[in-house]
Amino acid sequence: MYFTNEQVAAANKAGVEAILGFANSQLAAFERLSQLNVNAAKAAYEEGTGHAKALLAAKDAQEYLSLNAAIAQPAIEKAIAYSHGLYEVASQTQGEVAKFFEARTAEFSKNIVGLLDKVSKNAPAGSDAAVAAVKSALAAANSAYESMNKVAKQATEIAEANFAAATTAAKETHKKQRATA
């Protein structure tokens, strides 16, 4: 079986386009993460500067201590919000990567089956069993991949639920601490 130059060029073009698409999605994820970090750093700087000015303007030790206590409460809320933002970026990126690999796997399987069909037409008599065995193995591998993918999605859903529960618990604990302070 021979491949034409057009077939090789088309396969190369599809591969390069897939890699560029993946690179673009990863660059977009890096951009989201960078923006989240820049916003957090900027907010921390501005709040730190404001806090330092307020502490310098304190008239006595009691005011100084109350200012210090007051700044801790919003910091916890901001840390929770930052963690949530990080989780969202990671979750979104993981979803994009999973979609990319699902599409590549499906395309690969389709191409292999097509190639096997072409090979079996030109193969010597009696090779049908070998082609069928390869197709069967490919189907089993696809089935295993789909099963692992379902388990991974379930694990992601459980992790998301646990993260949401932990965030809610942290916020509730923080509210109780503020109420008793």
Side-chain angles (χ1 to χ4, degrees), residues 22 95-107 145 149:
F22 182 73
E96 291 171 358
V97 169
K99 286 179 185 176
F100 173 80
F101 282 110
E102 284 175 14
R104 298 293 74 77
T105 302
E107 184 179 335
Y145 174 77
N149 206 11

Side-chain angles (χ1 to χ4, degrees), residues 18-34 89-101:
I19 290 170
L20 290 177
F22 182 73
N24 285 334
S25 74
Q26 294 306 296
L27 184 60
F30 179 74
E31 184 178 10
R32 289 189 304 269
L33 182 61
S34 296
V89 169
S91 179
Q92 185 178 12
T93 303
Q94 185 271 339
E96 291 171 358
V97 169
K99 286 179 185 176
F100 173 80
F101 282 110

Side-chain angles (χ1 to χ4, degrees), residues 7 10 32 52 84 92 123 127 157:
Q7 290 172 320
R32 289 189 304 269
H84 186 68
Q92 185 178 12
S127 62
E157 290 170 1

Side-chain angles (χ1 to χ4, degrees), residues 16 22 38 44 56 78 100 119 128 142-143 147 151 159-160 164-165:
V16 168
F22 182 73
V38 166
L56 289 173
K78 286 181 176 50
F100 173 80
V119 167
D128 293 340
N142 283 338
S143 177
S147 295
V151 169
E160 287 175 358

Side-chain angles (χ1 to χ4, degrees), residues 3 14 16 24 28 43 55-56 72 83 93 97 123 132 159 164-165 168 175 178:
F3 293 102
V16 168
N24 285 334
L55 289 175
L56 289 173
S83 295
T93 303
V97 169
T168 301
K175 284 180 184 177
R178 283 177 43 187

Side-chain angles (χ1 to χ4, degrees), residues 70-133:
I71 196 66
Q73 294 171 354
I76 292 171
E77 292 173 3
K78 286 181 176 50
I80 291 170
Y82 177 76
S83 295
H84 186 68
L86 281 176
Y87 179 77
E88 285 179 358
V89 169
S91 179
Q92 185 178 12
T93 303
Q94 185 271 339
E96 291 171 358
V97 169
K99 286 179 185 176
F100 173 80
F101 282 110
E102 284 175 14
R104 298 293 74 77
T105 302
E107 184 179 335
F108 176 76
S109 295
K110 184 180 101 178
N111 290 341
I112 291 294
V113 168
L115 181 64
L116 286 173
D117 288 340
K118 288 180 183 178
V119 167
S120 67
K121 289 178 185 176
N122 298 325
S127 62
D128 293 340
V131 171

